[in-house]
Amino acid sequence: MRNFLTLDDLSEKEILKLVKDALLFKKNEIECDLKGKIIANMFFENSTRTQYSFNTAEEKLGMKVITFNPATSSLNKGESFYDTVKTFESFGIDGMVIRHTNNEYYKELKDIKSVLINAGDGTGNHPSQSLLDLVTIYEQFNKFDNLNIAIVGDILHSRVAHGNLKVMERLGMNTYISGPKEFMDNSSKFIPFKDAISEMDIIMLLRIQRERNAVKSMSDSEYLENYGLTMDKVNAMKKDAIIMHPAPFNRNVEIADDVVECPKSKIFTQMNNGVYARCSILNHCFK
Ligand code: CP
């Protein structure tokens, strides 16, 4: 049994195995039975995809699933995050999938005995999202080496960008960031959006994270025109290039309505692969 907290903890070989196992799960070509294991999904921050695709993966593998609801819990009576997790450990829960607003929240849980799976920590990491993104890229290109990716938008507040840039560089991809200056940091090389459109194999869009106090200095329509992906820009992309977005997306801000489901878009494929990436993670943690 082992934790899954950041991809930094895994070798490139282990990451590639997780990717390949996810694709085997997708083809129904891998055996994994976790009947009898009890897992709690504990989301202290909102989620649709991560929470319910973990839930789907857990059900597929035969686990018993408890959904923790922070709104009706004793957090509202002053119980701390640590004491909530310690309480679940004391129930004998085998594993906990945790999302929290604090970066590296898991550091205060280092003595917890149950398996811990990070479902996103503040602006730090979102390793199951990174894995499903890698699965989608590998499924499309059958390699990582020398692929060019630009992550575009609110890099500053994005755990997806920060986690992905690190692991993608480790796997031999050429990474770039693009978008308004106010959302850039030094996590990768900057590329003007216009150049990214014509040169990249993958354009990964991000939404502006208003819940982390991100404020853009332009209207939605100005943002769409300058930094959003519109169909005229899609038509200027390389023939085999793809569009990704971790979602949720804001239609007609960072992505035009008609681009969301256009042939180059892998956004809903990412969501589908998310279930298999999470099966692969559960298999890795509990086998
Ligand atoms: N991509 C992602 O993490 O989506 P949710 O916030 O809905 O889980």
Side-chain angles (χ1 to χ4, degrees):
M1 303 232 291
R2 50 195 160 176
N3 293 341
F4 182 81
L5 301 176
T6 87
L7 293 180
D8 298 345
D9 301 333
L10 301 175
S11 67
E12 284 90 58
K13 194 174 160 198
E14 287 171 314
I15 294 166
L16 198 57
K17 175 157 171 44
L18 280 165
V19 168
K20 289 184 173 174
D21 281 356
L23 291 168
L24 290 176
F25 272 111
K26 189 169 183 173
K27 290 190 277 183
N28 212 10
E29 288 176 4
I30 188 165
E31 285 292 315
C32 174
D33 183 352
L34 299 181
K35 270 194 193 74
K37 300 280 184 205
I38 303 177
I39 193 148
N41 295 330
M42 306 179 72
F43 283 68
F44 297 83
E45 185 193 275
N46 294 348
S47 169
T48 302
R49 274 147 292 277
T50 312
Q51 178 166 356
Y52 295 104
S53 70
F54 260 116
N55 205 151
T56 308
E58 291 152 357
E59 296 279 348
K60 276 181 181 286
L61 301 183
M63 303 180 92
K64 289 201 161 54
V65 184
I66 293 174
T67 302
F68 169 74
N69 181 356
T72 57
S73 77
S74 288
L75 282 172
N76 295 319
K77 300 178 195 164
E79 185 169 73
S80 70
F81 168 62
Y82 174 83
D83 288 337
T84 304
V85 173
K86 187 74 187 166
T87 299
F88 272 70
E89 178 198 52
S90 71
F91 295 158
I93 300 282
D94 297 292
M96 296 178 228
V97 176
I98 300 177
R99 171 175 286 188
H100 200 278
T101 46
N102 290 349
N103 286 27
E104 300 184 328
Y105 67 78
Y106 43 81
K107 284 197 168 162
E108 68 172 300
L109 306 179
K110 62 183 181 341
D111 296 327
I112 295 290
K113 305 280 183 301
S114 313
V115 167
L116 299 178
I117 297 177
N118 182 10
D121 61 290
T123 57
N125 276 279
H126 191 349
S128 67
Q129 178 71 43
S130 292
L131 188 67
L132 77 87
D133 290 340
L134 293 174
V135 170
T136 306
I137 291 167
Y138 195 79
E139 185 177 45
Q140 181 71 21
F141 297 100
N142 203 30
K143 65 169 193 172
F144 294 112
D145 213 27
N146 277 324
L147 289 175
N148 295 315
I149 182 168
I151 304 187
V152 183
D154 182 6
I155 307 291
L156 201 57
H157 301 98
S158 172
R159 55 187 168 220
V160 173
H162 295 136
N164 276 358
L165 290 164
K166 264 198 280 183
V167 70
M168 288 173 180
E169 284 284 340
R170 284 176 66 201
L171 294 172
M173 293 175 66
N174 306 313
T175 70
Y176 301 86
I177 56 174
S178 190
K181 281 220 159 41
E182 68 225 45
F183 294 145
M184 294 300 103
D185 58 18
N186 57 5
S187 51
S188 192
K189 302 170 283 294
F190 178 81
I191 184 169
F193 190 37
K194 188 170 144 304
D195 298 342
I197 295 292
S198 57
E199 293 172 26
M200 295 294 110
D201 300 299
I202 303 144
I203 298 282
M204 180 177 285
L205 303 163
L206 301 175
R207 83 188 157 85
I208 297 155
Q209 304 219 2
R210 293 189 175 94
E211 73 275 26
R212 293 186 218 288
N213 301 320
V215 182
K216 63 177 167 41
S217 59
M218 60 194 94
S219 68
D220 288 353
S221 58
E222 284 169 328
Y223 191 92
L224 182 66
E225 187 180 328
N226 290 294
Y227 301 105
L229 196 56
T230 49
M231 203 41 100
D232 57 319
K233 292 176 194 141
V234 171
N235 291 334
M237 289 172 68
K238 285 162 67 171
K239 181 171 152 288
D240 296 325
I242 61 170
I243 300 158
M244 298 176 70
H245 193 313
F249 39 81
N250 291 131
R251 289 177 187 258
N252 298 320
V253 183
E254 74 273 12
I255 186 163
D257 200 19
D258 57 353
V259 173
V260 171
E261 294 187 59
C262 78
K264 283 191 177 303
S265 170
K266 297 292 168 194
I267 296 173
F268 289 96
T269 307
Q270 285 173 267
M271 292 181 205
N272 179 247
N273 285 340
V275 173
Y276 302 107
R278 287 164 180 131
C279 286
S280 179
I281 291 164
L282 294 163
N283 181 44
H284 165 84
C285 290
F286 285 101
K287 76 178 178 198

PDB file of all heavy atoms in Angstrom, residues 119-142:
ATOM      1  N   ALA A 119      -6.052  14.713  -4.445  1.00  0.00           N
ATOM      2  CA  ALA A 119      -6.966  15.087  -5.531  1.00  0.00           C
ATOM      3  C   ALA A 119      -6.875  16.583  -5.828  1.00  0.00           C
ATOM      4  O   ALA A 119      -7.780  17.159  -6.434  1.00  0.00           O
ATOM      5  CB  ALA A 119      -8.388  14.702  -5.144  1.00  0.00           C
ATOM      6  N   GLY A 120      -5.751  17.200  -5.426  1.00  0.00           N
ATOM      7  CA  GLY A 120      -5.509  18.615  -5.688  1.00  0.00           C
ATOM      8  C   GLY A 120      -5.238  19.363  -4.403  1.00  0.00           C
ATOM      9  O   GLY A 120      -6.038  19.307  -3.478  1.00  0.00           O
ATOM     10  N   ASP A 121      -4.066  20.059  -4.352  1.00  0.00           N
ATOM     11  CA  ASP A 121      -3.730  20.861  -3.169  1.00  0.00           C
ATOM     12  C   ASP A 121      -3.443  22.302  -3.598  1.00  0.00           C
ATOM     13  O   ASP A 121      -2.442  22.572  -4.240  1.00  0.00           O
ATOM     14  CB  ASP A 121      -2.531  20.254  -2.410  1.00  0.00           C
ATOM     15  CG  ASP A 121      -1.245  20.169  -3.217  1.00  0.00           C
ATOM     16  OD1 ASP A 121      -1.182  19.357  -4.158  1.00  0.00           O
ATOM     17  OD2 ASP A 121      -0.307  20.942  -2.923  1.00  0.00           O
ATOM     18  N   GLY A 122      -4.360  23.199  -3.263  1.00  0.00           N
ATOM     19  CA  GLY A 122      -4.186  24.630  -3.530  1.00  0.00           C
ATOM     20  C   GLY A 122      -3.706  24.892  -4.939  1.00  0.00           C
ATOM     21  O   GLY A 122      -4.291  24.402  -5.914  1.00  0.00           O
ATOM     22  N   THR A 123      -2.613  25.674  -5.059  1.00  0.00           N
ATOM     23  CA  THR A 123      -2.014  25.930  -6.378  1.00  0.00           C
ATOM     24  C   THR A 123      -0.803  25.022  -6.612  1.00  0.00           C
ATOM     25  O   THR A 123       0.011  25.281  -7.496  1.00  0.00           O
ATOM     26  CB  THR A 123      -1.559  27.404  -6.491  1.00  0.00           C
ATOM     27  OG1 THR A 123      -0.633  27.675  -5.431  1.00  0.00           O
ATOM     28  CG2 THR A 123      -2.730  28.363  -6.408  1.00  0.00           C
ATOM     29  N   GLY A 124      -0.704  23.952  -5.801  1.00  0.00           N
ATOM     30  CA  GLY A 124       0.488  23.099  -5.863  1.00  0.00           C
ATOM     31  C   GLY A 124       0.456  22.022  -6.917  1.00  0.00           C
ATOM     32  O   GLY A 124       1.093  22.141  -7.975  1.00  0.00           O
ATOM     33  N   ASN A 125      -0.316  20.955  -6.671  1.00  0.00           N
ATOM     34  CA  ASN A 125      -0.291  19.782  -7.551  1.00  0.00           C
ATOM     35  C   ASN A 125      -1.693  19.232  -7.750  1.00  0.00           C
ATOM     36  O   ASN A 125      -2.555  19.374  -6.886  1.00  0.00           O
ATOM     37  CB  ASN A 125       0.567  18.671  -6.927  1.00  0.00           C
ATOM     38  CG  ASN A 125       2.036  18.851  -7.237  1.00  0.00           C
ATOM     39  OD1 ASN A 125       2.503  18.498  -8.314  1.00  0.00           O
ATOM     40  ND2 ASN A 125       2.752  19.452  -6.303  1.00  0.00           N
ATOM     41  N   HIS A 126      -1.868  18.556  -8.862  1.00  0.00           N
ATOM     42  CA  HIS A 126      -3.123  17.844  -9.131  1.00  0.00           C
ATOM     43  C   HIS A 126      -2.695  16.586  -9.899  1.00  0.00           C
ATOM     44  O   HIS A 126      -2.892  16.469 -11.108  1.00  0.00           O
ATOM     45  CB  HIS A 126      -4.036  18.739  -9.961  1.00  0.00           C
ATOM     46  CG  HIS A 126      -5.446  18.254 -10.109  1.00  0.00           C
ATOM     47  ND1 HIS A 126      -5.854  16.980  -9.741  1.00  0.00           N
ATOM     48  CD2 HIS A 126      -6.556  18.874 -10.589  1.00  0.00           C
ATOM     49  CE1 HIS A 126      -7.151  16.859  -9.993  1.00  0.00           C
ATOM     50  NE2 HIS A 126      -7.597  17.980 -10.503  1.00  0.00           N
ATOM     51  N   PRO A 127      -2.044  15.626  -9.161  1.00  0.00           N
ATOM     52  CA  PRO A 127      -1.364  14.540  -9.863  1.00  0.00           C
ATOM     53  C   PRO A 127      -2.277  13.614 -10.655  1.00  0.00           C
ATOM     54  O   PRO A 127      -1.856  13.079 -11.685  1.00  0.00           O
ATOM     55  CB  PRO A 127      -0.634  13.794  -8.748  1.00  0.00           C
ATOM     56  CG  PRO A 127      -1.333  14.162  -7.492  1.00  0.00           C
ATOM     57  CD  PRO A 127      -1.848  15.555  -7.700  1.00  0.00           C
ATOM     58  N   SER A 128      -3.537  13.412 -10.210  1.00  0.00           N
ATOM     59  CA  SER A 128      -4.405  12.527 -11.010  1.00  0.00           C
ATOM     60  C   SER A 128      -4.822  13.222 -12.307  1.00  0.00           C
ATOM     61  O   SER A 128      -5.000  12.576 -13.340  1.00  0.00           O
ATOM     62  CB  SER A 128      -5.623  12.057 -10.199  1.00  0.00           C
ATOM     63  OG  SER A 128      -6.498  13.113  -9.910  1.00  0.00           O
ATOM     64  N   GLN A 129      -4.939  14.569 -12.274  1.00  0.00           N
ATOM     65  CA  GLN A 129      -5.214  15.320 -13.512  1.00  0.00           C
ATOM     66  C   GLN A 129      -3.998  15.239 -14.441  1.00  0.00           C
ATOM     67  O   GLN A 129      -4.139  15.005 -15.642  1.00  0.00           O
ATOM     68  CB  GLN A 129      -5.527  16.786 -13.186  1.00  0.00           C
ATOM     69  CG  GLN A 129      -5.774  17.662 -14.421  1.00  0.00           C
ATOM     70  CD  GLN A 129      -7.094  17.363 -15.116  1.00  0.00           C
ATOM     71  OE1 GLN A 129      -8.104  17.189 -14.452  1.00  0.00           O
ATOM     72  NE2 GLN A 129      -7.084  17.296 -16.443  1.00  0.00           N
ATOM     73  N   SER A 130      -2.800  15.394 -13.862  1.00  0.00           N
ATOM     74  CA  SER A 130      -1.589  15.288 -14.688  1.00  0.00           C
ATOM     75  C   SER A 130      -1.528  13.915 -15.349  1.00  0.00           C
ATOM     76  O   SER A 130      -1.196  13.806 -16.528  1.00  0.00           O
ATOM     77  CB  SER A 130      -0.330  15.498 -13.839  1.00  0.00           C
ATOM     78  OG  SER A 130      -0.263  16.825 -13.392  1.00  0.00           O
ATOM     79  N   LEU A 131      -1.870  12.879 -14.571  1.00  0.00           N
ATOM     80  CA  LEU A 131      -1.800  11.533 -15.150  1.00  0.00           C
ATOM     81  C   LEU A 131      -2.815  11.372 -16.286  1.00  0.00           C
ATOM     82  O   LEU A 131      -2.473  10.843 -17.355  1.00  0.00           O
ATOM     83  CB  LEU A 131      -2.028  10.468 -14.074  1.00  0.00           C
ATOM     84  CG  LEU A 131      -1.772   9.057 -14.598  1.00  0.00           C
ATOM     85  CD1 LEU A 131      -0.299   8.824 -14.928  1.00  0.00           C
ATOM     86  CD2 LEU A 131      -2.253   8.001 -13.612  1.00  0.00           C
ATOM     87  N   LEU A 132      -4.029  11.857 -16.106  1.00  0.00           N
ATOM     88  CA  LEU A 132      -5.019  11.688 -17.180  1.00  0.00           C
ATOM     89  C   LEU A 132      -4.637  12.524 -18.401  1.00  0.00           C
ATOM     90  O   LEU A 132      -4.910  12.131 -19.541  1.00  0.00           O
ATOM     91  CB  LEU A 132      -6.430  11.993 -16.681  1.00  0.00           C
ATOM     92  CG  LEU A 132      -6.888  13.443 -16.488  1.00  0.00           C
ATOM     93  CD1 LEU A 132      -7.458  14.031 -17.759  1.00  0.00           C
ATOM     94  CD2 LEU A 132      -7.931  13.510 -15.387  1.00  0.00           C
ATOM     95  N   ASP A 133      -3.971  13.656 -18.168  1.00  0.00           N
ATOM     96  CA  ASP A 133      -3.486  14.450 -19.300  1.00  0.00           C
ATOM     97  C   ASP A 133      -2.398  13.680 -20.051  1.00  0.00           C
ATOM     98  O   ASP A 133      -2.382  13.639 -21.286  1.00  0.00           O
ATOM     99  CB  ASP A 133      -2.948  15.804 -18.813  1.00  0.00           C
ATOM    100  CG  ASP A 133      -4.063  16.727 -18.325  1.00  0.00           C
ATOM    101  OD1 ASP A 133      -5.238  16.496 -18.698  1.00  0.00           O
ATOM    102  OD2 ASP A 133      -3.771  17.668 -17.572  1.00  0.00           O
ATOM    103  N   LEU A 134      -1.505  13.046 -19.292  1.00  0.00           N
ATOM    104  CA  LEU A 134      -0.441  12.250 -19.927  1.00  0.00           C
ATOM    105  C   LEU A 134      -1.040  11.065 -20.696  1.00  0.00           C
ATOM    106  O   LEU A 134      -0.580  10.735 -21.802  1.00  0.00           O
ATOM    107  CB  LEU A 134       0.551  11.741 -18.880  1.00  0.00           C
ATOM    108  CG  LEU A 134       1.398  12.809 -18.173  1.00  0.00           C
ATOM    109  CD1 LEU A 134       2.239  12.181 -17.065  1.00  0.00           C
ATOM    110  CD2 LEU A 134       2.310  13.548 -19.167  1.00  0.00           C
ATOM    111  N   VAL A 135      -2.051  10.435 -20.117  1.00  0.00           N
ATOM    112  CA  VAL A 135      -2.707   9.298 -20.794  1.00  0.00           C
ATOM    113  C   VAL A 135      -3.286   9.774 -22.136  1.00  0.00           C
ATOM    114  O   VAL A 135      -3.128   9.117 -23.175  1.00  0.00           O
ATOM    115  CB  VAL A 135      -3.817   8.695 -19.897  1.00  0.00           C
ATOM    116  CG1 VAL A 135      -4.672   7.696 -20.664  1.00  0.00           C
ATOM    117  CG2 VAL A 135      -3.214   8.039 -18.662  1.00  0.00           C
ATOM    118  N   THR A 136      -3.939  10.928 -22.126  1.00  0.00           N
ATOM    119  CA  THR A 136      -4.578  11.460 -23.341  1.00  0.00           C
ATOM    120  C   THR A 136      -3.525  11.789 -24.406  1.00  0.00           C
ATOM    121  O   THR A 136      -3.717  11.511 -25.595  1.00  0.00           O
ATOM    122  CB  THR A 136      -5.427  12.697 -22.971  1.00  0.00           C
ATOM    123  OG1 THR A 136      -6.332  12.314 -21.923  1.00  0.00           O
ATOM    124  CG2 THR A 136      -6.207  13.219 -24.157  1.00  0.00           C
ATOM    125  N   ILE A 137      -2.410  12.361 -23.973  1.00  0.00           N
ATOM    126  CA  ILE A 137      -1.331  12.710 -24.911  1.00  0.00           C
ATOM    127  C   ILE A 137      -0.696  11.438 -25.479  1.00  0.00           C
ATOM    128  O   ILE A 137      -0.481  11.313 -26.687  1.00  0.00           O
ATOM    129  CB  ILE A 137      -0.277  13.602 -24.203  1.00  0.00           C
ATOM    130  CG1 ILE A 137      -0.896  14.973 -23.906  1.00  0.00           C
ATOM    131  CG2 ILE A 137       0.993  13.740 -25.051  1.00  0.00           C
ATOM    132  CD1 ILE A 137      -0.079  15.820 -22.942  1.00  0.00           C
ATOM    133  N   TYR A 138      -0.424  10.470 -24.602  1.00  0.00           N
ATOM    134  CA  TYR A 138       0.229   9.220 -25.052  1.00  0.00           C
ATOM    135  C   TYR A 138      -0.700   8.435 -25.977  1.00  0.00           C
ATOM    136  O   TYR A 138      -0.257   7.848 -26.975  1.00  0.00           O
ATOM    137  CB  TYR A 138       0.617   8.377 -23.838  1.00  0.00           C
ATOM    138  CG  TYR A 138       1.599   7.280 -24.155  1.00  0.00           C
ATOM    139  CD1 TYR A 138       2.958   7.557 -24.303  1.00  0.00           C
ATOM    140  CD2 TYR A 138       1.174   5.969 -24.321  1.00  0.00           C
ATOM    141  CE1 TYR A 138       3.865   6.550 -24.608  1.00  0.00           C
ATOM    142  CE2 TYR A 138       2.075   4.957 -24.625  1.00  0.00           C
ATOM    143  CZ  TYR A 138       3.411   5.257 -24.764  1.00  0.00           C
ATOM    144  OH  TYR A 138       4.301   4.260 -25.069  1.00  0.00           O
ATOM    145  N   GLU A 139      -1.974   8.439 -25.675  1.00  0.00           N
ATOM    146  CA  GLU A 139      -2.963   7.742 -26.517  1.00  0.00           C
ATOM    147  C   GLU A 139      -2.991   8.359 -27.920  1.00  0.00           C
ATOM    148  O   GLU A 139      -3.118   7.661 -28.927  1.00  0.00           O
ATOM    149  CB  GLU A 139      -4.345   7.876 -25.873  1.00  0.00           C
ATOM    150  CG  GLU A 139      -5.447   7.103 -26.561  1.00  0.00           C
ATOM    151  CD  GLU A 139      -6.774   7.237 -25.815  1.00  0.00           C
ATOM    152  OE1 GLU A 139      -7.140   8.364 -25.417  1.00  0.00           O
ATOM    153  OE2 GLU A 139      -7.443   6.209 -25.643  1.00  0.00           O
ATOM    154  N   GLN A 140      -2.816   9.686 -27.969  1.00  0.00           N
ATOM    155  CA  GLN A 140      -2.881  10.392 -29.255  1.00  0.00           C
ATOM    156  C   GLN A 140      -1.585  10.253 -30.063  1.00  0.00           C
ATOM    157  O   GLN A 140      -1.613  10.023 -31.272  1.00  0.00           O
ATOM    158  CB  GLN A 140      -3.156  11.878 -28.972  1.00  0.00           C
ATOM    159  CG  GLN A 140      -3.286  12.747 -30.211  1.00  0.00           C
ATOM    160  CD  GLN A 140      -4.568  12.464 -30.977  1.00  0.00           C
ATOM    161  OE1 GLN A 140      -5.518  11.931 -30.421  1.00  0.00           O
ATOM    162  NE2 GLN A 140      -4.571  12.789 -32.263  1.00  0.00           N
ATOM    163  N   PHE A 141      -0.424  10.410 -29.389  1.00  0.00           N
ATOM    164  CA  PHE A 141       0.852  10.519 -30.113  1.00  0.00           C
ATOM    165  C   PHE A 141       1.751   9.289 -29.926  1.00  0.00           C
ATOM    166  O   PHE A 141       2.779   9.185 -30.597  1.00  0.00           O
ATOM    167  CB  PHE A 141       1.613  11.768 -29.646  1.00  0.00           C
ATOM    168  CG  PHE A 141       0.897  13.067 -29.947  1.00  0.00           C
ATOM    169  CD1 PHE A 141       0.184  13.736 -28.974  1.00  0.00           C
ATOM    170  CD2 PHE A 141       0.949  13.624 -31.226  1.00  0.00           C
ATOM    171  CE1 PHE A 141      -0.466  14.937 -29.246  1.00  0.00           C
ATOM    172  CE2 PHE A 141       0.308  14.823 -31.515  1.00  0.00           C
ATOM    173  CZ  PHE A 141      -0.406  15.478 -30.523  1.00  0.00           C
ATOM    174  N   ASN A 142       1.406   8.412 -28.992  1.00  0.00           N
ATOM    175  CA  ASN A 142       2.198   7.216 -28.691  1.00  0.00           C
ATOM    176  C   ASN A 142       3.633   7.538 -28.273  1.00  0.00           C
ATOM    177  O   ASN A 142       4.554   6.736 -28.471  1.00  0.00           O
ATOM    178  CB  ASN A 142       2.200   6.269 -29.905  1.00  0.00           C
ATOM    179  CG  ASN A 142       2.490   4.851 -29.483  1.00  0.00           C
ATOM    180  OD1 ASN A 142       2.159   4.453 -28.365  1.00  0.00           O
ATOM    181  ND2 ASN A 142       3.135   4.090 -30.349  1.00  0.00           N
TER     182      ASN A 142
END
